[in-house]
Amino acid sequence: MNRYQQMFDKLSKNKEGALVPFLTIGDPNGNIFMNIVDTIIEAGADALELGIPFSDPLADGPIIQNSMKRSLLSGITLKLAFNLVEKIRLKHPKIPIGLLTYANLIFQYGINAFYSYCMHIGIDSILIADLPLEESSTFYKISKRKNIKMVFICPPNATKHLLQKISIYSKGYIYLLSRPGVTGINPGHDICLTEIIQILKNKKNTPPILQGFGISKPNQVRKILTTGVAGIIIGSAVIKIIEQNIDSPIKILTNIKKYIINIKLATHLN
């Protein structure tokens, strides 16, 4: 049984939704980033989604774009990012770790070499934000050979044909977007996703659904989990804490810990 299955089974038995924070690897620098990861896991994160810093992050809004700038300016390269993730895996062997990245980075590294190294350091899944499902066959075959789950994004306006394909090809989980556009804290314009969630769940062998984009508050989390998704992904709200306390690592860790504990409490379904 893979780490995602173990996580979802455990949470289901405990009647909890999954809390999956997103962080940019190396934000604001390698040392503080490692402390943030430890703090987040200690506070209750069930899995990690880690973004490889990239100069042209098309799917990410200003908050995450700035986190990637901070990481790159601190000297984080792809090699150093891999080194940091390898340290996380050695320290936290059971938690699922997914990477979010862009196709150019993988092409430049070499597709086979990239997936081989990810397998070596214990990556559970890879989501390529700018890769359409229709163009993904090469990546899909390699990820299957390397036993790494390939995650696809499900937009809120997906057609039934696309939903069918996503339910077949997304492994580990499906990343359901709360809304179109880029990442960021939601100003309050929620979209009803109940129908799309039910269509996906009615498909045979559909993996669990994690919803992301615009989620930042405990009451949002409680409401979202009633729609049938297995958990939530929170990125910009966590990274905003780093940005707001950039001159005080102690405040970053203290405030992130408080925030994650509160959000995790909201995932309890009893």
Side-chain angles (χ1 to χ4, degrees), residues 61-123:
I63 294 173
I64 294 179
Q65 287 178 21
N66 287 335
S67 77
M68 294 198 169
K69 285 181 186 174
R70 287 193 296 271
S71 177
L72 292 171
L73 287 173
S74 78
I76 298 297
T77 60
L78 180 55
K79 183 180 179 182
L80 290 176
F82 275 147
N83 289 344
L84 292 173
V85 177
E86 187 171 10
K87 289 178 182 175
I88 295 169
R89 170 54 73 216
L90 290 172
K91 198 169 183 180
H92 304 282
K94 294 183 179 179
I95 194 165
I97 298 176
L99 290 185
L100 188 149
T101 188
Y102 291 87
N104 276 357
L105 278 170
I106 301 178
F107 274 124
Q108 186 173 11
Y109 195 88
I111 301 176
N112 193 62
F114 186 92
Y115 277 85
S116 294
Y117 201 78
C118 287
M119 180 179 69
H120 170 68
I121 62 176
I123 297 300

Side-chain angles (χ1 to χ4, degrees), residues 4-5 20 43 58 70 78 98 103 113 123 127-128 134 141 148 158 161 172-173 194 257 260:
Y4 281 118
Q5 284 179 309
V20 186
L58 301 176
R70 287 193 296 271
L78 180 55
I123 297 300
L127 190 163
I128 307 171
E134 292 79 5
K141 290 174 184 172
I148 294 173
H161 179 64
Y173 67 91
T194 304
K257 183 176 182 179
I260 293 295

